[in-house]
Amino acid sequence: MITVRRRAARSAAACAAFAVLCVAAAPSTASAAPAAPADTPPLPAGMYGTTDPTYDGVWRQSLAMLAQRAVNVMPADSSVNWLLGQQCDSGAFPAYRPDATKPCDATTVVDTNSTAAAVQTLAALMKYPDAMNNGISWLASAQNKDGGWGYSAGAPSDANSTALVIGALAAGGAPVGTRLSTEGRSPYQSLIGFAIPCDAKEGGGAFGYQPDKSGKLLPNADATAAALLGGVGKRMVTTGVEPGPAPVCQDLHPLTPERAARNGASYLVKTMAKTGHLDQPPMPGAEDSAPLPDYGNTADAVVALTTAGYGDQAAASMKWLEKNSADWAKANGPAAYAQLIFAAHTTGTDPRTFDGVDLVKALNATGPTPKWIGPKPLTTTEQQKVLADQKTERHSMSGNVWTMGIGAFAALVICALFVLRARRRRS
């Protein structure tokens, strides 16, 4: 998954406005997100958050509604209608278009990240297959020859966008592995291309966002968390699996998508081992300052690790998020609340009692009143207990049926003996 700040930072389509984006997008530190300029028209009904949506409107809307569905909350019709209204006839979504009554044209800047997030949300709503499939069709048309995706159609592939689209394809039920490019390459083949070998001097096992000008891949925690989730074919909202042994980095040949993902897990575990969290990369000129915690990337890493079966290794980071992320989420709004809810949902943590904060209530308050709020869904741990109880009950019933069967058979044998004995006496 990708935070708003990181989406803006790697947007190939917005390179010319990079400095503006870095200010306008929501940071992963505890500083407040920028408010909309005073002369900005009121935000449309149905939107989440109050900050300028120019660079993250569809993204934060999608994450907010995905998080609500994960905790059995149905978003308001106005929220759903706003998201549907942002989609272009091509199936693509822009980051935001203020006037949805005007058709998209050549000046409408659409991107893969907004589209992939919206597709996953439409899949979770389960009522808009046409809009979802149109989004998937556009994503397919934007696939690069190497099998991956860049931030915008035609931009060089990057690990984050490729992983995010993999999640969208999986959410829509599309066969990810057979979604081949014009040169016969799959999304997974592209993703593997961003993996750094285990024996590298720096960042062994990690994923790079994109090769630098010299062709070198630099370790990137954001890309690694995204690629780990994509490598195991999962979407942003997912559930954890039974924890297993700690991840180990192995350079296998050929390298499979799952092996590359697990190598990425080993990198994340080592990186978070000391403090329990990931750090935000230093800003230019601030290399000597103390690193700032990266709340968004840490939440993403917790989701990815737990999904891949490394929940035990992610437990300390989840505890750290519970103790330290409330102010960050409050300052950064819907997408931040959603990321924490994703982490809580995946790890079986109750987001309604998140160290004294009700994340669900806080998220709901950033948008229109939900259409309905259902019963609290079972956590992953509770679901596993229910399944275990059902399995025990089935075994018990099976044993009872077997015992009853033996008893019935014995009764038939006894009855037969009595009948035979009676016949012999009569003869």
Side-chain angles (χ1 to χ4, degrees):
M1 196 172 356
I2 311 149
T3 62
V4 175
R5 177 185 61 81
R6 288 174 278 143
R7 278 185 68 245
R10 64 170 177 273
S11 169
C15 286
F18 180 78
V20 177
L21 291 180
C22 288
V23 173
S28 293
T29 60
S31 58
D39 58 350
T40 299
L43 297 181
M47 280 204 67
Y48 289 79
T50 58
T51 58
D52 183 0
T54 300
Y55 304 108
D56 76 325
V58 168
W59 178 260
R60 77 191 191 203
Q61 190 86 356
S62 298
L63 264 64
M65 291 197 289
L66 270 174
Q68 286 180 321
R69 293 306 300 129
V71 293
N72 208 18
V73 173
M74 180 58 71
D77 288 341
S78 60
S79 298
V80 178
N81 291 336
W82 183 87
L83 182 64
L84 290 170
Q86 290 289 297
Q87 189 174 30
C88 298
D89 290 340
S90 65
F93 284 79
Y96 174 71
R97 58 186 180 119
D99 189 353
T101 63
K102 295 180 179 179
C104 299
D105 56 26
T107 65
T108 306
V109 182
V110 296
D111 67 84
T112 61
N113 287 218
S114 297
T115 304
V119 164
Q120 294 194 42
T121 301
L122 294 171
L125 293 171
M126 297 188 295
K127 290 184 178 181
Y128 308 97
D130 290 342
M132 180 191 73
N133 289 329
N134 286 344
I136 291 175
S137 295
W138 181 82
L139 288 171
S141 72
Q143 187 178 21
N144 290 327
K145 293 180 179 180
D146 65 4
W149 285 265
Y151 180 81
S152 57
S157 298
D158 65 77
N160 300 71
S161 298
T162 300
L164 188 59
V165 174
I166 286 175
L169 296 176
V176 179
T178 59
R179 181 71 67 173
L180 304 181
S181 70
T182 55
E183 293 191 353
R185 294 180 61 80
S186 77
Y188 290 124
Q189 287 176 292
S190 175
L191 198 61
I192 290 174
F194 300 103
I196 299 174
C198 297
D199 60 2
K201 293 182 179 179
E202 181 184 4
F207 282 76
Y209 168 63
Q210 276 179 335
D212 62 16
K213 293 181 179 180
S214 67
K216 182 181 179 181
L217 286 168
L218 300 177
N220 184 300
D222 176 17
T224 304
L228 169 52
L229 204 59
V232 294
K234 299 297 182 180
R235 62 193 83 176
M236 288 188 281
V237 179
T238 182
T239 55
V241 300
E242 191 69 25
V248 177
C249 200
Q250 293 180 307
D251 282 327
L252 300 184
H253 301 284
L255 185 63
T256 65
E258 184 173 351
R259 181 67 262 166
R262 298 191 183 285
N263 290 348
S266 69
Y267 170 81
L268 290 175
V269 169
K270 291 177 183 177
T271 305
M272 295 193 294
K274 184 176 181 179
T275 62
H277 62 79
L278 295 171
D279 289 330
Q280 186 177 352
M283 297 297 288
E287 288 80 2
D288 295 333
S289 60
L292 297 174
D294 194 327
Y295 301 90
N297 272 340
T298 300
D300 292 350
V302 167
V303 171
L305 287 169
T306 308
T307 300
Y310 305 119
D312 288 347
Q313 287 72 36
S317 297
M318 188 67 225
K319 290 292 184 183
W320 181 87
L321 285 171
E322 283 191 84
K323 296 292 183 183
N324 298 281
S325 62
D327 289 343
W328 167 76
K330 184 177 180 180
N332 290 284
Y337 281 124
Q339 284 179 280
L340 295 181
I341 290 175
F342 293 157
H345 175 73
T346 306
T347 59
T349 304
D350 189 350
R352 291 172 172 81
T353 56
F354 200 75
D355 196 36
V357 177
D358 187 336
L359 296 177
V360 178
K361 183 178 180 180
L363 173 62
N364 292 344
T366 67
T369 302
K371 189 173 184 178
W372 51 259
I373 300 175
K376 186 181 84 170
L378 297 178
T379 64
T380 302
T381 302
E382 291 169 337
Q383 291 174 13
Q384 291 172 346
K385 185 178 185 303
V386 169
L387 292 174
D389 291 343
Q390 290 174 344
K391 185 176 181 181
T392 302
E393 185 177 352
R394 285 196 298 270
H395 282 310
S396 176
M397 290 177 64
S398 176
N400 290 338
V401 169
W402 176 250
T403 302
M404 291 171 62
I406 293 175
F409 179 74
L412 288 173
V413 171
I414 292 171
C415 287
L417 290 174
F418 275 116
V419 171
L420 288 173
R421 185 176 297 176
R423 286 179 179 176
R424 286 174 183 169
R425 287 176 179 176
R426 285 198 298 270
S427 62

